[in-house]
Amino acid sequence: MHEENVIYVGRKPMMNYVLAVMNSLNQRGLDEVVLKARGRAISTAVDVEEVTRRFVKDLEAAVSIGTEQLPMEEGGTRNVSTMEITMKRSRAAEDKTPEEVEEPEKVIEEEKKGEEPEETEGFG
Amino acid sequence: MHEENVIYVGRKPMMNYVLAVMNSLNQRGLDEVVLKARGRAISTAVDVEEVTRRFVKDLEAAVSIGTEQLPMEEGGTRNVSTMEITMKRSRAAEDKTPEEVEEPEKVIEEEKKGEEPEETEGFG
């Protein structure tokens, strides 16, 4: 796993990460992208994976969870849950030319029709 | 999978769910418990798994993620990410008698020593 394949999911809008993943898969031609998230951002990482999967067909996702010790300002450490989602193109998709891969921009347009303002939970 | 094995993770304090899982594994003698969560509760479900794993040895966890369509009050549906964590005793643990399994209450006492008040992120 090269570091360039890793996207850290934090507090930015979920769609930013979806576009970063699609950029890695389509423009940069990577076959594998790893989403990493900690704490509350874990839910966002799952949203990112689920939304990306609607845009890019033939993606396989493997999820692993763990614990990381973060140093606290007051000294000592606290435990934080971590998640890694490895998103990989399956064989079928690798045979496609870039043109055959669904256009992200177009799909986003469709998604937005009749959509409510963003809520805390839910992504579309 | 029987419905009795399923614990739905929501907005209650994380430790409630940890105790529910340990109750299922120890008192009720189940070998498998499934955590189910949606949206923001997904992060909590991961915390529950990670903390339970510290109390109950020889647990294997398999994670799967998905999307569910929830009806909205205004009509229509919105998509919400879902997660299922299947926690299963591995072979080694099944051979143990109940007495050999670590006592949850005792461990929680130790965890609480010198612990900071609960934060949004992090679990101990």
Side-chain angles (χ1 to χ4, degrees):
Chain A
M1 176 51 47
H2 308 290
E3 269 302 305
E4 58 170 11
N5 293 14
V6 177
I7 291 168
Y8 291 89
V9 178
R11 293 174 189 189
K12 290 181 195 164
M14 187 262 292
M15 225 50 196
N16 292 25
Y17 303 109
V18 173
L19 290 171
V21 173
M22 291 199 290
N23 186 49
S24 295
L25 292 173
N26 295 339
Q27 265 70 56
R28 297 173 59 213
L30 299 177
D31 286 329
E32 192 175 308
V33 174
V34 178
L35 297 173
K36 289 193 182 189
R38 288 198 290 226
R40 292 295 131 196
I42 284 176
S43 326
T44 311
V46 176
D47 289 348
V48 171
E49 188 277 337
E50 286 297 307
V51 171
T52 307
R53 186 195 284 280
R54 290 199 284 164
F55 294 156
V56 185
K57 302 301 172 195
D58 307 300
L59 270 186
E60 287 168 4
V63 183
S64 70
I65 55 183
T67 300
E68 208 169 286
Q69 296 203 314
L70 290 186
M72 291 192 293
E73 283 179 25
E74 318 88 87
T77 58
R78 64 193 178 93
N79 294 316
V80 175
S81 296
T82 61
M83 174 175 276
E84 274 191 37
I85 306 179
T86 304
M87 305 180 73
K88 205 171 182 172
R89 284 185 189 282
S90 55
R91 286 290 139 197
E94 281 175 25
D95 299 331
K96 284 186 184 175
T97 59
E99 286 73 29
E100 287 178 275
V101 178
E102 219 168 336
E103 276 299 319
E105 287 77 9
K106 201 174 124 197
V107 185
I108 290 167
E109 281 308 312
E110 286 170 17
E111 290 293 320
K112 281 190 174 156
K113 275 179 200 159
E115 195 176 300
E116 292 296 310
E118 198 172 281
E119 294 181 59
T120 317
E121 297 201 23
F123 54 69
Chain B
M1 177 51 47
H2 307 291
E3 268 304 305
E4 58 170 12
N5 294 14
V6 178
I7 292 169
Y8 292 89
V9 177
R11 293 175 188 189
K12 289 181 194 163
M14 186 261 292
M15 226 46 196
N16 292 25
Y17 302 110
V18 173
L19 290 171
V21 173
M22 291 201 289
N23 186 50
S24 295
L25 292 174
N26 295 339
Q27 265 69 57
R28 298 174 59 213
L30 299 177
D31 287 330
E32 192 176 308
V33 173
V34 179
L35 296 173
K36 289 192 182 188
R38 287 198 290 226
R40 291 295 132 196
I42 284 176
S43 324
T44 311
V46 176
D47 289 347
V48 171
E49 189 276 337
E50 287 297 306
V51 171
T52 307
R53 187 194 285 279
R54 290 198 285 164
F55 295 156
V56 184
K57 303 298 172 197
D58 306 300
L59 270 186
E60 288 168 2
V63 183
S64 69
I65 55 183
T67 299
E68 209 169 285
Q69 296 203 316
L70 290 186
M72 291 192 293
E73 281 180 27
E74 319 87 90
T77 58
R78 64 192 178 93
N79 294 317
V80 175
S81 295
T82 60
M83 173 176 277
E84 275 192 35
I85 307 179
T86 304
M87 305 179 73
K88 205 171 181 172
R89 284 183 189 283
S90 56
R91 285 289 139 198
E94 281 174 26
D95 300 331
K96 283 186 183 173
T97 59
E99 287 73 28
E100 287 178 275
V101 177
E102 219 170 334
E103 276 297 320
E105 288 78 8
K106 202 173 123 198
V107 184
I108 291 167
E109 281 309 313
E110 287 169 16
E111 289 293 320
K112 281 191 173 156
K113 276 179 200 159
E115 195 176 298
E116 291 296 310
E118 197 173 281
E119 294 180 58
T120 318
E121 295 201 25
F123 54 72

